[in-house]
């Protein structure tokens, strides 16, 4: 039995349908379809699309998802950089803003920036503040998604246990959802490029290294929201490199952008960050290319075990270092296909991120849309919203 | 909006409810509740329970899930042993049978045993063959769950690609579902002991070693149904022990029941199997106890990475070797709590299986019940079934 919210899920694929087609697809009575469609039209979540072909007389109206009925604010906060976008309900970016901002400046500074810039984006776009569906935010540390609070984040002083969700909900008067930055990147990449792959692993290789797991089309967050934390797994062959976490031989201490920059600097090449490593690689610096390839192999050593355990159909390599060309990913493939179990790699694809630095923004929007446009939420939305004119 | 199938899900918790309580819980109109309850009564899936307290007059009837409306056949096939049980819809075993049977004898031999013994169990229990809800079977190798066929199983000659699902459906005239034995053990243990833990990892330590992953309350099977395959992950400290898979240093070649038996035999203690190892450990044999503790540590080395990646709230150690006492699990705990990330272990529990050798049978039944009593399936069931008398 389809509620209006369930019927709406069918239309979220963007394909317009007539009332008769919706009745055929759902098995609902025509009268019920008409009633549900009227509620959805009133909420503006669907609108009339093109006219359908008909054998004569007035052609029946087709209805389609209206991604502009509401909008979302999506924030991607990194260690030293913040992005904020206004997107439609299909997670398409309509306007955005970015700034150099230290997450270590603390939650009030960062969230006040989102408050100010978010309201500016809404005003510049000429949108009604009441049409904000919600705010999504990704943070560079572990987050308890259900409460919207960071949990012992290592590079975010002042954020531990801070009520990010409540703070944003107060400022915007709309639902706010919070997650780890790698989790939202996984959501964004999955939404844009791999929505037909139920099991996906997204690996972010940047200043740090982390991953996000998609299981049966949904984010696997784990008990503490810590799932996918692979930067501090120990490399099988062992190294004596000391990591910032206090252990030795962590993947991140050996294969991250920061680690490669340090190795280049030790050899006399000027490099301070992932950004420098990417620039050197693009410029054809042989040492940088060799180090990227070896970093890919080291990441592959850890991923080989993850592939056997999680059995994804695709691994997406993203993060700033993935933009340096094919050397990193070639190293990953070399080891994963050698070391993982044959069954788990028989159809496995290992590919570069197609969303690049937009993955986080898109994913933060998808997180909000998937939550707020779920059937039960849409039913609530329609029960509470004043009837809008059909646009 | 609740269909009869959705309404039924509420009642699956076993708690009886009146029509008024169902209306309050779902927000459905009383007339709709009455209609849905009548359909469910006719299908026999629910029945009247005790009379509710009332302030006067005839007390309103409470309705409850009727786990005896139908029954399930659940099979757990091991390398050398087969079990088959008849269970109710709450996965309670009503009758069972077991036999020494080599899976290597091939699919027809094993499935014909299930056919014969299954029909015997149904007849002995005096049940109507038409009331069989479905057949669930666990096999000791990788299975493509969607098609019900084994995929390159290493110890099951003749089974690769065999249509186990179709064969059983033909013999029993009911739906058949097939999965890997460790996956169904994970389902069984989760159902009995950990249904409130959304993220669980079940590790089977027996002749071989494998695991099953529960993500958000559902089995994570992975792209090839190969998820949880940890027996052939390489130990970080490396060993030169050759595994039956052709690689060296696999966990299973070092820490399985077969490996421990071989080590005992090499030291002059008579031991051929997991069974012998368990018997020696229970008898207080020091070498067996030391080897079990070291096997636990080796398993812990591999699990430490799995804990960081998957972030479960509980790890259950099952399989025959887990019945040898605390030494194995003590070794696992020793290493996991030392090596995994602090956030991922802060609330992590590592416990012994509470279902023991019943995990597989219970899980095979749960697999069938969860599939066949899902809302859409119940709606179909009621649309197609002849109205039964209310029992």
């Amino acid at each position: 039995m389809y509620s209006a919210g369930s019927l709406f899920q069918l239309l979220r694929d963007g394909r317009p349908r007539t009332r008769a087609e919706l009745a055929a697809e759902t098995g609902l009575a025509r009268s019920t379809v008409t009633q549900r469609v009227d509620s959805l039209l009133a909420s503006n979540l669907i609108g009339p699309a093109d006219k359908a072909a008909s054998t004569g007389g007035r052609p029946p109206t087709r209805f389609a998802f209206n991604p502009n009925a509401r909008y979302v604010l999506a924030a991607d906060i990194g260690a030293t950089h913040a992005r904020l976008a206004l997107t439609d309900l299909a997670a398409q970016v309509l306007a955005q803003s970015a700034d150099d901002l230290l997450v270590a400046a603390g939650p009030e500074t960062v969230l006040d920036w989102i408050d100010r810039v978010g309201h500016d984006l809404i005003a510049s776009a000429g949108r009604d503040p009441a049409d904000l569906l919600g705010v999504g935010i990704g943070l560079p540390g572990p987050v308890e998604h259900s409460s919207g609070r960071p949990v012992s984040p290592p590079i975010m002083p002042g954020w531990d246990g801070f009520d990010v969700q409540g703070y944003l909900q107060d400022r915007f008067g709309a639902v706010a959802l919070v997650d780890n930055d790698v989790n939202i990147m996984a959501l964004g990449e999955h939404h844009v490029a791999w929505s037909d792959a139920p099991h996906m692993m997204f690996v972010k290789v940047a200043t740090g290294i982390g991953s996000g797991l998609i299981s049966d089309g949904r984010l696997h967050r784990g008990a503490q929201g810590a799932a996918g934390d692979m930067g501090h797994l120990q490399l099988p062959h062992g190294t004596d490199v000391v990591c910032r976490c206090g252990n030795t031989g962590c993947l991140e201490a050996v294969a991250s952008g920061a680690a490669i920059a340090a190795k280049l600097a030790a050899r006399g090449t000027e490099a301070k960050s992932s950004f420098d490593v990417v620039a050197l690689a693009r410029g054809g610096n042989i040492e940088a290319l060799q180090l990227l390839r070896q970093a890919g192999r080291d990441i592959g050593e850890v991923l080989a075990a993850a592939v056997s355990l999680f059995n994804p159909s695709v691994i997406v390599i993203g993060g700033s270092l993935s933009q340096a060309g094919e050397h990193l990913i070639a190293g990953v493939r070399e080891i994963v296909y050698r070391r993982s179990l044959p069954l788990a790699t028989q159809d496995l694809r290992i590919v570069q991120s197609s969303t690049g630095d937009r993955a986080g923004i898109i994913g933060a929007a998808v997180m909000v849309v998937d939550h707020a446009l779920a059937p039960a939420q849409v039913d609530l939305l329609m029960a509470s919203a004043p009837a809008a004119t059909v646009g």
Side-chain angles (χ1 to χ4, degrees), chain A residues 52 73 191 196 287 315 337 355:
Chain A
L73 281 178
H191 174 82
D196 56 348
E287 280 192 321
I315 295 177
Y337 288 118
T355 53

Side-chain angles (χ1 to χ4, degrees), chain A residues 81-84 96-100 113 117:
Chain A
H81 198 81
R83 289 170 208 276
L84 184 64
Q96 63 178 315
S97 194
D99 210 343
D100 291 330
W113 178 85
V117 176

Side-chain angles (χ1 to χ4, degrees), chain A residues 176-377:
Chain A
L177 296 170
V178 193
D179 209 335
N180 174 266
D181 60 345
V182 191
N183 279 351
I184 62 166
M185 291 172 85
L187 276 180
E189 186 74 23
H190 190 255
H191 174 82
V192 169
W194 298 100
S195 56
D196 56 348
H199 307 297
M200 189 192 95
M201 189 164 181
F202 181 92
V203 182
K204 176 190 175 185
V205 190
T207 304
I209 298 176
S211 72
L213 308 175
I214 303 281
S215 163
D216 259 331
R218 305 186 311 171
L219 201 52
H220 171 78
R221 293 191 168 92
Q224 274 78 31
D229 200 342
M230 59 182 274
H232 302 279
L233 295 184
Q234 291 191 290
L235 282 169
H237 50 71
T239 79
D240 50 6
V241 180
V242 177
C243 180
R244 63 183 164 86
C245 77
N247 284 326
T248 57
C250 295
L251 177 63
E252 190 166 298
V254 175
S256 66
I260 297 175
K263 286 177 195 177
L264 286 166
R267 295 181 192 186
T269 303
E270 191 160 346
K272 287 179 185 159
S273 66
S274 301
F275 181 82
D276 297 334
V277 174
V278 172
L280 285 164
R282 286 187 173 159
N285 179 292
I286 298 291
E287 280 192 321
L289 294 176
Q290 286 177 329
L291 287 168
L292 278 167
R293 178 117 192 174
Q294 184 54 42
R297 291 190 193 107
D298 291 336
I299 294 164
E301 295 277 0
V302 168
L303 278 180
V307 163
S308 297
L309 275 170
F310 193 70
N311 188 201
S313 62
V314 60
I315 295 177
V316 178
I317 309 290
S320 57
L321 246 60
S322 73
Q323 305 302 310
E326 280 292 307
H327 286 76
L328 181 79
I329 203 165
V332 172
R333 289 194 186 109
E334 181 184 325
I335 301 297
V336 169
Y337 288 118
R338 186 197 300 167
R339 291 242 201 278
S340 300
L341 301 177
L343 181 60
T345 53
Q346 72 182 18
D347 297 318
L348 176 67
R349 298 178 64 178
I350 302 177
V351 301
Q352 192 175 346
S353 165
S354 61
T355 53
D357 60 10
R358 299 175 302 124
I361 286 293
I362 298 168
V366 167
M367 173 170 67
V368 171
V369 171
D370 280 353
H371 169 82
L373 296 188
Q377 296 294 327

